[in-house]
Structure formats: C-alpha cells, structure tokens
Amino acid sequence: MKMKSIISVINLKKDYGTLKAVKGVSFDVYKDEVFGILGPNGAGKTTTLEMMEGLRKIDSGKVMIDGIDAQKCPDKIKNITGVQLQATAVFDYLTLAELLDLYASFYGRKIDSLELLDKVDLEDKKGFFVDSLSGGQKQRFSIAIALVNDPKVIFLDEPSTGLDPQARRNLWDLVKELRLSDKKTVVLTTHYMDEAEYLCDRVAVMDHGDVVALDTPDNLINELLKKGFKKKVEVKPANLEDVFIDLTGHSLRE
Amino acid sequence: MVSKTFIPLTIASIKMFFRDRQALFWSLFFPIVIMGIFGLIDFSRFTIDLGIVVAEENKLEFAGIVEGLKQNAAFNVTEGNYADEEAELIDDKRDLILVLNKNDEGVIEAEALINASTQTQSSAIAKEIKDMLESNILNQANVQLPFRFKEQIIDVNDLTPLNFILPGVLGIALMNNSMFGVAGGIVRNRERNALKSLFATPLKKSDFLLSQVITRLVVSMMQVVILFALPISVNRVSGLIQGIPPEEAVFYFKVVGSWFDLFAVAVFGAVVFINFGFMVSALSKTYNQAVSLVNIVATPMMFLSGAFFPKEVLPKFLQSIAGYFPLTFLVDGMREVMNKGAGFVEIEIQLAGLLIWALLIFVLATRLFKWES
C-alpha cells in the first residue's frame, strides 16, 4: 500500500552557537499516521519538532506541511497544525472553557468549547483554572487546546511525561482516537519505548542531532533480531506495569 | 500589523487581573486603605503632651497660667512633681515639661525640659510659652509695647489632607499596577511557557503587546476613577446622614485645576510605568526576579518621591536625587493641577521629565526584551 505523505522534512539543520542541535534531518510523515520521534534527552527531538511547528527559526533545510513551506509561511502552517507543548503552558486565572474560546479566537473561529472538553473527558471541569487540574487532566486539556482549530496535523511533545500508569493509558486511548476516528496525523516525541511501540505507526530514532533509524516499530525490532540479538533474560509474558494495572485498575485517579 | 484578535485577548487579560488577588490588592485595595487612613487622621488634633511642675506654695500664683495652657487645645496638660514628670519625659510620654518657680527674691523662673524626639516642635512651643509669660508679666505691669502683632492663617484654595495624599496614593497605585501588571504578566507567562503556546497559534506578537498595554491603561483609568469617586461618594453619604455640607466631611478634597488635565497626567504616568514594566520583564528570567526588581525600583520611589510625606523633610542631597524620579514628576504634576490649578504649560517640567523617562526606558526595553526565557 502506497502511503500519501503530508509532511516532508528535508535536510533540516539547527545550530545553537557551536552546538549542532540538529544536523541535517530528513523524513516524511504519512497522512493519518502516528509518527514518533524517539531519542534520549538532548537528541534534538524538541528542536526538530519546534522547527516543524514554525516556532523556531530553521537554519537550513526545509519543512513542507500539506504543501506549505513552514519557513516561508509560518502563519499558514499554524492554521493547519495544533501544538501541545511540553509543560502545561496556558494563562492562569482563566477557566478551561474561557481558554478554549480565547485560543479559538486567535484562529478567527468560534467553537463549542463544551464539546471539545467532552472529547478530552473534562466537561465537568469547564469552570476550573488549569492550575487546579491533575497532571493527566492538564495533558488532556493541552490536547484540547491543540484541537481548537480542527488541525490536520497535531504535534505532541512528550505527552505522557510525569503521568501515572492509569493517566498514561487514558492519554494513549485519546491519541488512538484522534488517529482513528478524527483522522488526524499525529507527530509526537517521547523517550518511553513502550509508548512508541503502542502508539506509533512509524518511528524515527534520533541521537546527537541525527536520525539513526526510521521504520515501523515491528520492522526495527525484527532488524535487531536478525542481527542475532538476544535478551539476556527470557521475557515473561507480563511486566511490572501489567501487575500494577492489575492491582490498581484502569480507572483514572484524579 | 495589528488585527482584531487583540480584543478577546484584552478582555481575557482584564478578567485575569480581577481574578488575581495579589494584583487587585496592590492596585486598588492598598491605595484605598492608605487614602482612608490619611482621610481619617485629624491633623488639627496633633497635641503636645505638656507636663507642668509647680511647687505647692506657688500653685495660686501660677493658677492663671496653668489654666490658660489647659484650655489651649494644642496641649494635653498633666501636672505633677519634678521627678515624676521627668521620668515620664524619659519614657517618651511628654514632649515638653514646664517648671514654674518663684525664687526667694520674687523672680519668676521658668524652665523648659524638651524631649529630643519632638525637639523642633517642642522648642517652638517652649518659645511661645516664654513669649506668653512675658506678655502676661508686661500686661500685669501695664506696660504697652510700641507695636501690636496679629496672626492670621490663610488657607490657600481650601485644601485638605486628602489634597496632599490623593495624588501621592494615585501615583503609587498607577506605578504598581502598570509596572507590576506588565512585568508579572509577561514574565510569569513566559516562565510557564504560556507565551510560547500563544505564538504556536497565528496570534501576532504585536497583538499580544497591544492587549497588555490596553489592559494596563483600562485598569489605570479605573484606578483614577475609583480613587476619586470613592471619597466623593463617602462624603455625600456621610454628609446626608450627618446633615453637614460636603466641605466638612472627612474625605473632602478640592480639585482646583481641570479634571481632564488631571486625568491626562495620570494616564501619561501609567504609560511611563508600562514601559518600566517591559524593562523589568526584559531584565528578569523568573517571576520572583521580576517581583524583586519591581520592589527595588518602586520602594525608594514610594518613600522618597513625596507621595506619602513632603520631600522637604529629606536631606538636601536625597531631595535633589528624588527630584528626578518618574514618580516624583507624576505626583508633583498631579498635585500642581489638582491643588494649584496648573495647566499643561505650568507643569511642562514634570511632563518633559516623564517623557524623557518613557523614551529612555522604551529604547532600552526594546533592545533587551526577549520572548523566550
């Protein structure tokens, strides 16, 4: 099956003084897939993502999203993308509903904020301030913010960092739903491999500013096994997280 | 550059201001409290605690003088023996002790013990008492002086304590709101990445800046209106209840100059301090740094600019430095308009001073400002 590409990243570079943060990265993101950028801290994931979002100046190279050049028309890019940032980054002293309406106004849109809050399971928190939400609720709310302009592409930067296992699974369900029922293309960064394996159709592994591998999680694992890799300990069909979820249940604690 | 998007953002930031208790406290509650306190102080009732020591055998001799002093509203008179009164003075409970005695030769000896902590005032009073005693004696001797002295206090423009403190408090309120509002709003939201998330949308930076400036100006205008309207309405209500004319009410004040000029000077002052707010946000990485920096700038101005008490009580060198503070220009400008009826021409020095500060800080702030931490 031939996949249609919606994002093309071509030889993207970014220097911070002498530090080469991103050294000529190229990849394509297909329409309606969840694309993961993996890598340890400082690998250049966030910088790459921010250049794609039009938030950071591109030193050289090119990002095309849905046929639009991110460097030349950052405003057009912003109109068709939704961005969820690492920390919960919104004004204090505004309620969730007010924030959604405000963000929608930046796109010249009027939205049904309750419907959007319902989508991220926060409709009963509409009159609350962000600072009173739990970690998982804040993450889900920032996804709602990223959805106000009904974007074609959603960028999620380390969406599950700091969440407990229940909140993490709940967030994963939301991301799956965005991809399956809302037909959004999702680009996310993470340093949790289980998250990448569960959510991503394809992943790019970054290290020291370069993409060192790019494929589906399955293919990458098979490649490694072909090289004769064996885990030292035989893997049990369950892990400690499965035990934790079995003991404490799937229901959210917030 | 600027589009309609700033309107919902401005409405949102005004909402945020009213929900931020700390901002509300410093911008509105604090100035109202200061104004209330000053309004309630009755400056005409500042009294001198006067101790009088007269030996038992001379009581009759000095009864007239003692009685006269007692009836003077400026004195709070106590009588006692020398040791007790002296102890009270050391305990700071007397400002002045007057010891009246008649020696063996029949000469009246008056001695004044003056409390060093209220020396200026008490020395003057002691001198007045000396004059009073002398004229008493002269009167008794029936000697006419070759001149008469008449004293009359002329109350220029019928000014009240509020006429002094209201421009001061208003200046401080405008300074706090404009500087703290802008710096806090930018630095806190930069720190929590809220600015970054704003600019991930098509919102323009110029729209954001405009919304900040308009929010602070709207709040400044509300400060001006509230700080003037509140005492006026309290006067009206208390006047109706007590059946007295507004001129006699506690919070009475008079605006000699034009209300429009007064309002214009206040708004201009707010603009100057909005620039200071941008400067603070350019220099601070964290919210706590911004708070300290605002305090470093605002506190000396609050106390040295003559907002709370006249600059003239400060040492000369401090006075000359304080004369260049932007808050001094603002408060002096408002006082000149309000209390002396000055127009823009008469306060051109203050207006020029404010303009120079605004330009200087604006240029520096635009050079140093960063959107990202």
Side-chain angles (χ1 to χ4, degrees), chain A residues 50 55-56 75 78-79 85 88-94 98 102-103 105-107 131, chain B residues 5 8-9 15-16 19-20 188-189 192-194 196-204 372:
Chain A
E50 286 183 350
L55 276 178
R56 203 165 283 280
D75 280 353
K78 287 171 183 175
N79 266 315
L85 295 161
T88 324
V90 284
F91 289 133
D92 201 0
Y93 301 119
L94 287 181
E98 285 170 341
L102 179 65
Y103 273 75
S105 78
F106 300 152
Y107 298 94
D131 286 6
Chain B
T5 355
L9 187 56
K15 259 188 208 163
M16 285 188 267
R19 288 173 188 171
D20 183 352
R188 187 171 56 198
N189 288 313
R192 55 190 281 149
N193 272 336
K196 205 171 178 182
S197 92
L198 286 185
F199 301 128
T201 75
L203 177 75
K204 300 250 185 315
E372 285 173 52

mmCIF file of all heavy atoms in Angstrom, chain A residues 50 55-56 75 78-79 85 88-94 98 102-103 105-107 131, chain B residues 5 8-9 15-16 19-20 188-189 192-194 196-204 372:
data_model
loop_
_atom_site.group_PDB
_atom_site.id
_atom_site.type_symbol
_atom_site.label_atom_id
_atom_site.label_comp_id
_atom_site.label_asym_id
_atom_site.label_seq_id
_atom_site.Cartn_x
_atom_site.Cartn_y
_atom_site.Cartn_z
ATOM 1 N N GLU A 50 9.914 21.763 16.995
ATOM 2 C CA GLU A 50 9.587 23.192 17.010
ATOM 3 C C GLU A 50 9.856 23.867 15.675
ATOM 4 O O GLU A 50 9.183 24.832 15.311
ATOM 5 C CB GLU A 50 10.343 23.894 18.155
ATOM 6 C CG GLU A 50 9.729 23.540 19.506
ATOM 7 C CD GLU A 50 10.357 24.253 20.688
ATOM 8 O OE1 GLU A 50 11.408 24.905 20.522
ATOM 9 O OE2 GLU A 50 9.798 24.145 21.783
ATOM 10 N N LEU A 55 7.725 27.366 15.242
ATOM 11 C CA LEU A 55 8.032 28.096 16.475
ATOM 12 C C LEU A 55 9.504 28.471 16.549
ATOM 13 O O LEU A 55 9.893 29.326 17.323
ATOM 14 C CB LEU A 55 7.687 27.234 17.690
ATOM 15 C CG LEU A 55 6.237 27.244 18.153
ATOM 16 C CD1 LEU A 55 6.053 26.306 19.327
ATOM 17 C CD2 LEU A 55 5.813 28.649 18.544
ATOM 18 N N ARG A 56 10.338 27.773 15.767
ATOM 19 C CA ARG A 56 11.772 28.025 15.834
ATOM 20 C C ARG A 56 12.298 28.251 14.428
ATOM 21 O O ARG A 56 11.851 27.600 13.487
ATOM 22 C CB ARG A 56 12.455 26.821 16.482
ATOM 23 C CG ARG A 56 13.782 27.127 17.104
ATOM 24 C CD ARG A 56 14.195 26.005 18.024
ATOM 25 N NE ARG A 56 13.480 26.040 19.282
ATOM 26 C CZ ARG A 56 13.796 26.845 20.306
ATOM 27 N NH1 ARG A 56 14.820 27.651 20.208
ATOM 28 N NH2 ARG A 56 13.101 26.839 21.420
ATOM 29 N N ASP A 75 2.530 31.362 9.433
ATOM 30 C CA ASP A 75 1.143 31.580 9.854
ATOM 31 C C ASP A 75 0.192 30.570 9.228
ATOM 32 O O ASP A 75 -0.742 30.096 9.875
ATOM 33 C CB ASP A 75 0.692 33.000 9.513
ATOM 34 C CG ASP A 75 1.193 34.001 10.541
ATOM 35 O OD1 ASP A 75 1.758 33.531 11.561
ATOM 36 O OD2 ASP A 75 1.021 35.208 10.337
ATOM 37 N N LYS A 78 0.621 27.382 11.053
ATOM 38 C CA LYS A 78 -0.036 27.423 12.364
ATOM 39 C C LYS A 78 -1.536 27.204 12.244
ATOM 40 O O LYS A 78 -2.172 26.688 13.163
ATOM 41 C CB LYS A 78 0.272 28.753 13.061
ATOM 42 C CG LYS A 78 1.704 28.818 13.571
ATOM 43 C CD LYS A 78 2.061 30.213 14.048
ATOM 44 C CE LYS A 78 3.523 30.274 14.490
ATOM 45 N NZ LYS A 78 3.926 31.633 14.853
ATOM 46 N N ASN A 79 -2.093 27.608 11.110
ATOM 47 C CA ASN A 79 -3.539 27.432 10.927
ATOM 48 C C ASN A 79 -3.956 25.981 10.723
ATOM 49 O O ASN A 79 -5.084 25.617 11.036
ATOM 50 C CB ASN A 79 -4.014 28.260 9.731
ATOM 51 C CG ASN A 79 -4.521 29.620 10.158
ATOM 52 O OD1 ASN A 79 -5.277 29.701 11.132
ATOM 53 N ND2 ASN A 79 -4.115 30.663 9.483
ATOM 54 N N LEU A 85 2.474 21.660 23.991
ATOM 55 C CA LEU A 85 3.854 21.871 24.430
ATOM 56 C C LEU A 85 4.187 20.998 25.631
ATOM 57 O O LEU A 85 3.307 20.445 26.278
ATOM 58 C CB LEU A 85 4.070 23.337 24.784
ATOM 59 C CG LEU A 85 3.933 24.297 23.611
ATOM 60 C CD1 LEU A 85 3.695 25.695 24.097
ATOM 61 C CD2 LEU A 85 5.168 24.230 22.743
ATOM 62 N N THR A 88 2.444 22.364 30.742
ATOM 63 C CA THR A 88 1.124 22.928 30.507
ATOM 64 C C THR A 88 1.289 24.421 30.468
ATOM 65 O O THR A 88 1.567 25.062 31.460
ATOM 66 C CB THR A 88 0.158 22.605 31.627
ATOM 67 O OG1 THR A 88 0.467 21.321 32.056
ATOM 68 C CG2 THR A 88 -1.244 22.704 31.149
ATOM 69 N N ALA A 89 1.124 24.949 29.292
ATOM 70 C CA ALA A 89 1.557 26.310 29.072
ATOM 71 C C ALA A 89 0.386 27.172 28.665
ATOM 72 O O ALA A 89 0.209 27.463 27.490
ATOM 73 C CB ALA A 89 2.624 26.314 28.000
ATOM 74 N N VAL A 90 -0.431 27.552 29.619
ATOM 75 C CA VAL A 90 -1.523 28.478 29.312
ATOM 76 C C VAL A 90 -1.644 29.475 30.450
ATOM 77 O O VAL A 90 -1.021 29.330 31.489
ATOM 78 C CB VAL A 90 -2.876 27.748 29.130
ATOM 79 C CG1 VAL A 90 -2.949 27.061 27.794
ATOM 80 C CG2 VAL A 90 -3.136 26.793 30.253
ATOM 81 N N PHE A 91 -2.464 30.501 30.255
ATOM 82 C CA PHE A 91 -2.676 31.518 31.283
ATOM 83 C C PHE A 91 -3.329 30.920 32.523
ATOM 84 O O PHE A 91 -4.146 30.012 32.429
ATOM 85 C CB PHE A 91 -3.615 32.607 30.762
ATOM 86 C CG PHE A 91 -3.021 33.486 29.722
ATOM 87 C CD1 PHE A 91 -3.730 33.774 28.567
ATOM 88 C CD2 PHE A 91 -1.771 34.052 29.894
ATOM 89 C CE1 PHE A 91 -3.203 34.606 27.599
ATOM 90 C CE2 PHE A 91 -1.234 34.892 28.936
ATOM 91 C CZ PHE A 91 -1.950 35.163 27.786
ATOM 92 N N ASP A 92 -2.950 31.477 33.635
ATOM 93 C CA ASP A 92 -3.639 31.194 34.877
ATOM 94 C C ASP A 92 -4.861 32.131 34.948
ATOM 95 O O ASP A 92 -4.957 33.068 34.170
ATOM 96 C CB ASP A 92 -2.674 31.496 36.024
ATOM 97 C CG ASP A 92 -3.090 30.779 37.282
ATOM 98 O OD1 ASP A 92 -4.108 30.071 37.246
ATOM 99 O OD2 ASP A 92 -2.384 30.925 38.279
ATOM 100 N N TYR A 93 -5.754 31.888 35.868
ATOM 101 C CA TYR A 93 -6.893 32.781 36.121
ATOM 102 C C TYR A 93 -7.899 32.845 34.976
ATOM 103 O O TYR A 93 -8.695 33.769 34.907
ATOM 104 C CB TYR A 93 -6.451 34.206 36.467
ATOM 105 C CG TYR A 93 -5.577 34.286 37.687
ATOM 106 C CD1 TYR A 93 -4.285 34.785 37.618
ATOM 107 C CD2 TYR A 93 -6.054 33.854 38.926
ATOM 108 C CE1 TYR A 93 -3.477 34.859 38.735
ATOM 109 C CE2 TYR A 93 -5.253 33.923 40.049
ATOM 110 C CZ TYR A 93 -3.965 34.432 39.944
ATOM 111 O OH TYR A 93 -3.182 34.503 41.046
ATOM 112 N N LEU A 94 -7.810 31.891 34.012
ATOM 113 C CA LEU A 94 -8.883 31.762 33.036
ATOM 114 C C LEU A 94 -9.403 30.337 33.153
ATOM 115 O O LEU A 94 -8.624 29.407 33.369
ATOM 116 C CB LEU A 94 -8.386 32.024 31.613
ATOM 117 C CG LEU A 94 -8.066 33.466 31.229
ATOM 118 C CD1 LEU A 94 -7.607 33.529 29.782
ATOM 119 C CD2 LEU A 94 -9.259 34.390 31.445
ATOM 120 N N GLU A 98 -13.058 29.261 28.991
ATOM 121 C CA GLU A 98 -12.605 30.581 28.517
ATOM 122 C C GLU A 98 -11.322 30.463 27.698
ATOM 123 O O GLU A 98 -11.150 31.145 26.677
ATOM 124 C CB GLU A 98 -12.349 31.511 29.707
ATOM 125 C CG GLU A 98 -13.616 32.025 30.355
ATOM 126 C CD GLU A 98 -13.353 32.741 31.685
ATOM 127 O OE1 GLU A 98 -12.273 32.536 32.280
ATOM 128 O OE2 GLU A 98 -14.238 33.475 32.130
ATOM 129 N N LEU A 102 -10.768 31.534 23.893
ATOM 130 C CA LEU A 102 -9.725 32.521 23.584
ATOM 131 C C LEU A 102 -8.802 31.998 22.483
ATOM 132 O O LEU A 102 -8.531 32.699 21.502
ATOM 133 C CB LEU A 102 -8.918 32.830 24.847
ATOM 134 C CG LEU A 102 -7.774 33.834 24.683
ATOM 135 C CD1 LEU A 102 -8.317 35.208 24.333
ATOM 136 C CD2 LEU A 102 -6.940 33.918 25.953
ATOM 137 N N TYR A 103 -8.333 30.756 22.643
ATOM 138 C CA TYR A 103 -7.434 30.192 21.630
ATOM 139 C C TYR A 103 -8.131 30.086 20.274
ATOM 140 O O TYR A 103 -7.522 30.319 19.240
ATOM 141 C CB TYR A 103 -6.859 28.837 22.085
ATOM 142 C CG TYR A 103 -5.610 29.004 22.913
ATOM 143 C CD1 TYR A 103 -5.685 29.438 24.227
ATOM 144 C CD2 TYR A 103 -4.347 28.778 22.372
ATOM 145 C CE1 TYR A 103 -4.548 29.629 24.992
ATOM 146 C CE2 TYR A 103 -3.195 28.959 23.128
ATOM 147 C CZ TYR A 103 -3.305 29.379 24.438
ATOM 148 O OH TYR A 103 -2.178 29.585 25.181
ATOM 149 N N SER A 105 -10.307 32.083 19.202
ATOM 150 C CA SER A 105 -10.391 33.433 18.628
ATOM 151 C C SER A 105 -9.111 33.806 17.881
ATOM 152 O O SER A 105 -9.144 34.603 16.946
ATOM 153 C CB SER A 105 -10.692 34.461 19.723
ATOM 154 O OG SER A 105 -9.524 34.754 20.466
ATOM 155 N N PHE A 106 -7.967 33.225 18.282
ATOM 156 C CA PHE A 106 -6.717 33.519 17.578
ATOM 157 C C PHE A 106 -6.760 32.993 16.138
ATOM 158 O O PHE A 106 -6.026 33.463 15.272
ATOM 159 C CB PHE A 106 -5.516 32.894 18.289
ATOM 160 C CG PHE A 106 -5.321 33.385 19.697
ATOM 161 C CD1 PHE A 106 -4.719 32.584 20.652
ATOM 162 C CD2 PHE A 106 -5.752 34.651 20.086
ATOM 163 C CE1 PHE A 106 -4.536 33.031 21.954
ATOM 164 C CE2 PHE A 106 -5.572 35.104 21.373
ATOM 165 C CZ PHE A 106 -4.971 34.282 22.309
ATOM 166 N N TYR A 107 -7.593 31.970 15.924
ATOM 167 C CA TYR A 107 -7.739 31.429 14.566
ATOM 168 C C TYR A 107 -8.950 32.035 13.869
ATOM 169 O O TYR A 107 -9.331 31.594 12.785
ATOM 170 C CB TYR A 107 -7.912 29.903 14.618
ATOM 171 C CG TYR A 107 -6.734 29.170 15.205
ATOM 172 C CD1 TYR A 107 -6.702 28.835 16.555
ATOM 173 C CD2 TYR A 107 -5.645 28.818 14.419
ATOM 174 C CE1 TYR A 107 -5.623 28.160 17.094
ATOM 175 C CE2 TYR A 107 -4.553 28.144 14.951
ATOM 176 C CZ TYR A 107 -4.555 27.813 16.289
ATOM 177 O OH TYR A 107 -3.485 27.155 16.822
ATOM 178 N N ASP A 131 -4.434 25.435 36.849
ATOM 179 C CA ASP A 131 -3.561 25.076 37.963
ATOM 180 C C ASP A 131 -4.216 24.135 38.965
ATOM 181 O O ASP A 131 -3.539 23.541 39.791
ATOM 182 C CB ASP A 131 -3.072 26.354 38.676
ATOM 183 C CG ASP A 131 -2.022 27.075 37.845
ATOM 184 O OD1 ASP A 131 -1.780 26.635 36.704
ATOM 185 O OD2 ASP A 131 -1.445 28.067 38.331
ATOM 186 N N THR B 5 -7.739 40.408 16.596
ATOM 187 C CA THR B 5 -7.530 39.338 17.577
ATOM 188 C C THR B 5 -7.217 39.865 18.972
ATOM 189 O O THR B 5 -7.405 39.171 19.957
ATOM 190 C CB THR B 5 -6.347 38.436 17.173
ATOM 191 O OG1 THR B 5 -5.883 38.850 15.905
ATOM 192 C CG2 THR B 5 -6.749 37.007 17.152
ATOM 193 N N PRO B 8 -10.447 39.948 22.024
ATOM 194 C CA PRO B 8 -10.721 38.906 23.015
ATOM 195 C C PRO B 8 -9.572 38.708 23.996
ATOM 196 O O PRO B 8 -9.803 38.438 25.189
ATOM 197 C CB PRO B 8 -10.920 37.635 22.176
ATOM 198 C CG PRO B 8 -10.778 38.001 20.771
ATOM 199 C CD PRO B 8 -10.591 39.462 20.636
ATOM 200 N N LEU B 9 -8.333 38.907 23.522
ATOM 201 C CA LEU B 9 -7.184 38.728 24.411
ATOM 202 C C LEU B 9 -7.159 39.816 25.484
ATOM 203 O O LEU B 9 -6.837 39.558 26.646
ATOM 204 C CB LEU B 9 -5.892 38.754 23.592
ATOM 205 C CG LEU B 9 -4.600 38.427 24.341
ATOM 206 C CD1 LEU B 9 -4.693 37.071 25.020
ATOM 207 C CD2 LEU B 9 -3.411 38.453 23.409
ATOM 208 N N LYS B 15 -10.022 40.233 32.674
ATOM 209 C CA LYS B 15 -10.598 39.212 33.562
ATOM 210 C C LYS B 15 -9.538 38.649 34.494
ATOM 211 O O LYS B 15 -9.768 38.496 35.692
ATOM 212 C CB LYS B 15 -11.135 38.051 32.711
ATOM 213 C CG LYS B 15 -12.630 38.066 32.498
ATOM 214 C CD LYS B 15 -13.038 36.771 31.808
ATOM 215 C CE LYS B 15 -14.283 36.989 30.991
ATOM 216 N NZ LYS B 15 -14.492 35.899 30.009
ATOM 217 N N MET B 16 -8.367 38.343 33.905
ATOM 218 C CA MET B 16 -7.293 37.756 34.712
ATOM 219 C C MET B 16 -6.869 38.712 35.819
ATOM 220 O O MET B 16 -6.598 38.295 36.931
ATOM 221 C CB MET B 16 -6.093 37.405 33.825
ATOM 222 C CG MET B 16 -6.308 36.175 32.991
ATOM 223 S SD MET B 16 -4.787 35.695 32.142
ATOM 224 C CE MET B 16 -4.969 36.526 30.599
ATOM 225 N N ARG B 19 -9.125 38.529 38.721
ATOM 226 C CA ARG B 19 -9.093 37.266 39.451
ATOM 227 C C ARG B 19 -7.786 37.075 40.205
ATOM 228 O O ARG B 19 -7.656 36.157 40.996
ATOM 229 C CB ARG B 19 -9.299 36.112 38.473
ATOM 230 C CG ARG B 19 -10.717 36.042 37.972
ATOM 231 C CD ARG B 19 -10.851 35.012 36.887
ATOM 232 N NE ARG B 19 -12.172 35.068 36.282
ATOM 233 C CZ ARG B 19 -12.493 34.378 35.192
ATOM 234 N NH1 ARG B 19 -11.607 33.591 34.628
ATOM 235 N NH2 ARG B 19 -13.701 34.472 34.702
ATOM 236 N N ASP B 20 -6.812 37.933 39.937
ATOM 237 C CA ASP B 20 -5.514 37.820 40.590
ATOM 238 C C ASP B 20 -5.563 38.700 41.842
ATOM 239 O O ASP B 20 -5.454 39.907 41.776
ATOM 240 C CB ASP B 20 -4.419 38.293 39.619
ATOM 241 C CG ASP B 20 -3.029 38.143 40.213
ATOM 242 O OD1 ASP B 20 -2.930 37.829 41.417
ATOM 243 O OD2 ASP B 20 -2.058 38.340 39.476
ATOM 244 N N ARG B 188 5.688 35.862 34.162
ATOM 245 C CA ARG B 188 5.050 34.643 34.648
ATOM 246 C C ARG B 188 4.608 33.764 33.475
ATOM 247 O O ARG B 188 4.822 32.560 33.474
ATOM 248 C CB ARG B 188 3.841 34.970 35.531
ATOM 249 C CG ARG B 188 3.279 33.708 36.181
ATOM 250 C CD ARG B 188 2.240 34.021 37.202
ATOM 251 N NE ARG B 188 1.179 34.823 36.625
ATOM 252 C CZ ARG B 188 0.318 35.524 37.332
ATOM 253 N NH1 ARG B 188 0.411 35.524 38.630
ATOM 254 N NH2 ARG B 188 -0.625 36.207 36.753
ATOM 255 N N ASN B 189 4.030 34.371 32.469
ATOM 256 C CA ASN B 189 3.548 33.572 31.345
ATOM 257 C C ASN B 189 4.677 33.097 30.439
ATOM 258 O O ASN B 189 4.541 32.079 29.777
ATOM 259 C CB ASN B 189 2.512 34.362 30.553
ATOM 260 C CG ASN B 189 1.226 34.477 31.334
ATOM 261 O OD1 ASN B 189 0.742 33.490 31.858
ATOM 262 N ND2 ASN B 189 0.695 35.679 31.448
ATOM 263 N N ARG B 192 6.008 30.039 32.457
ATOM 264 C CA ARG B 192 5.187 28.823 32.365
ATOM 265 C C ARG B 192 4.888 28.456 30.912
ATOM 266 O O ARG B 192 3.996 27.678 30.635
ATOM 267 C CB ARG B 192 3.916 28.963 33.198
ATOM 268 C CG ARG B 192 3.067 30.182 32.865
ATOM 269 C CD ARG B 192 1.979 30.373 33.875
ATOM 270 N NE ARG B 192 0.863 29.476 33.653
ATOM 271 C CZ ARG B 192 0.085 28.987 34.592
ATOM 272 N NH1 ARG B 192 0.309 29.276 35.844
ATOM 273 N NH2 ARG B 192 -0.907 28.214 34.304
ATOM 274 N N ASN B 193 5.645 29.033 29.974
ATOM 275 C CA ASN B 193 5.541 28.701 28.552
ATOM 276 C C ASN B 193 4.228 29.113 27.902
ATOM 277 O O ASN B 193 3.922 28.697 26.792
ATOM 278 C CB ASN B 193 5.754 27.203 28.317
ATOM 279 C CG ASN B 193 7.217 26.883 28.133
ATOM 280 O OD1 ASN B 193 7.992 27.750 27.742
ATOM 281 N ND2 ASN B 193 7.598 25.663 28.423
ATOM 282 N N ALA B 194 3.437 29.933 28.609
ATOM 283 C CA ALA B 194 2.148 30.333 28.042
ATOM 284 C C ALA B 194 2.347 31.213 26.800
ATOM 285 O O ALA B 194 1.557 31.161 25.869
ATOM 286 C CB ALA B 194 1.307 31.062 29.082
ATOM 287 N N LYS B 196 4.790 30.924 24.654
ATOM 288 C CA LYS B 196 5.145 30.004 23.579
ATOM 289 C C LYS B 196 3.885 29.388 22.974
ATOM 290 O O LYS B 196 3.760 29.291 21.749
ATOM 291 C CB LYS B 196 6.041 28.913 24.158
ATOM 292 C CG LYS B 196 6.934 28.264 23.146
ATOM 293 C CD LYS B 196 7.914 27.373 23.888
ATOM 294 C CE LYS B 196 8.815 26.640 22.927
ATOM 295 N NZ LYS B 196 9.722 25.759 23.660
ATOM 296 N N SER B 197 2.955 28.985 23.840
ATOM 297 C CA SER B 197 1.739 28.353 23.308
ATOM 298 C C SER B 197 0.875 29.374 22.573
ATOM 299 O O SER B 197 0.177 29.038 21.623
ATOM 300 C CB SER B 197 0.962 27.654 24.422
ATOM 301 O OG SER B 197 0.005 28.501 24.985
ATOM 302 N N LEU B 198 0.941 30.648 22.995
ATOM 303 C CA LEU B 198 0.204 31.691 22.254
ATOM 304 C C LEU B 198 0.759 31.819 20.845
ATOM 305 O O LEU B 198 0.016 31.936 19.873
ATOM 306 C CB LEU B 198 0.350 33.058 22.934
ATOM 307 C CG LEU B 198 -0.394 33.337 24.217
ATOM 308 C CD1 LEU B 198 -0.171 34.796 24.599
ATOM 309 C CD2 LEU B 198 -1.863 33.055 24.048
ATOM 310 N N PHE B 199 2.094 31.775 20.738
ATOM 311 C CA PHE B 199 2.695 32.039 19.439
ATOM 312 C C PHE B 199 2.791 30.783 18.571
ATOM 313 O O PHE B 199 3.286 30.828 17.457
ATOM 314 C CB PHE B 199 4.041 32.741 19.606
ATOM 315 C CG PHE B 199 3.879 34.032 20.354
ATOM 316 C CD1 PHE B 199 4.649 34.331 21.457
ATOM 317 C CD2 PHE B 199 2.880 34.924 19.982
ATOM 318 C CE1 PHE B 199 4.449 35.508 22.164
ATOM 319 C CE2 PHE B 199 2.676 36.103 20.682
ATOM 320 C CZ PHE B 199 3.464 36.392 21.781
ATOM 321 N N ALA B 200 2.289 29.645 19.126
ATOM 322 C CA ALA B 200 2.095 28.467 18.279
ATOM 323 C C ALA B 200 0.793 28.625 17.493
ATOM 324 O O ALA B 200 0.495 27.839 16.614
ATOM 325 C CB ALA B 200 2.052 27.204 19.127
ATOM 326 N N THR B 201 0.008 29.655 17.827
ATOM 327 C CA THR B 201 -1.209 29.984 17.082
ATOM 328 C C THR B 201 -0.874 31.169 16.167
ATOM 329 O O THR B 201 0.203 31.762 16.302
ATOM 330 C CB THR B 201 -2.350 30.400 18.025
ATOM 331 O OG1 THR B 201 -2.092 31.718 18.487
ATOM 332 C CG2 THR B 201 -2.459 29.460 19.222
ATOM 333 N N PRO B 202 -1.761 31.534 15.259
ATOM 334 C CA PRO B 202 -1.437 32.672 14.377
ATOM 335 C C PRO B 202 -1.427 34.032 15.075
ATOM 336 O O PRO B 202 -1.230 35.047 14.423
ATOM 337 C CB PRO B 202 -2.558 32.628 13.321
ATOM 338 C CG PRO B 202 -3.181 31.290 13.449
ATOM 339 C CD PRO B 202 -3.011 30.875 14.857
ATOM 340 N N LEU B 203 -1.628 34.055 16.416
ATOM 341 C CA LEU B 203 -1.623 35.339 17.136
ATOM 342 C C LEU B 203 -0.307 36.086 16.899
ATOM 343 O O LEU B 203 0.764 35.519 16.976
ATOM 344 C CB LEU B 203 -1.800 35.089 18.637
ATOM 345 C CG LEU B 203 -1.751 36.335 19.511
ATOM 346 C CD1 LEU B 203 -3.034 37.131 19.385
ATOM 347 C CD2 LEU B 203 -1.497 35.970 20.966
ATOM 348 N N LYS B 204 -0.442 37.401 16.638
ATOM 349 C CA LYS B 204 0.751 38.215 16.396
ATOM 350 C C LYS B 204 1.309 38.731 17.716
ATOM 351 O O LYS B 204 0.565 39.054 18.633
ATOM 352 C CB LYS B 204 0.385 39.428 15.529
ATOM 353 C CG LYS B 204 -0.181 39.079 14.177
ATOM 354 C CD LYS B 204 0.807 39.444 13.089
ATOM 355 C CE LYS B 204 0.225 39.230 11.714
ATOM 356 N NZ LYS B 204 -0.490 37.958 11.577
ATOM 357 N N GLU B 372 11.522 34.584 24.651
ATOM 358 C CA GLU B 372 11.741 33.272 25.273
ATOM 359 C C GLU B 372 12.723 33.401 26.405
ATOM 360 O O GLU B 372 13.617 34.239 26.369
ATOM 361 C CB GLU B 372 12.292 32.278 24.240
ATOM 362 C CG GLU B 372 11.237 31.806 23.284
ATOM 363 C CD GLU B 372 11.845 30.967 22.179
ATOM 364 O OE1 GLU B 372 12.571 30.017 22.507
ATOM 365 O OE2 GLU B 372 11.600 31.278 21.014
#
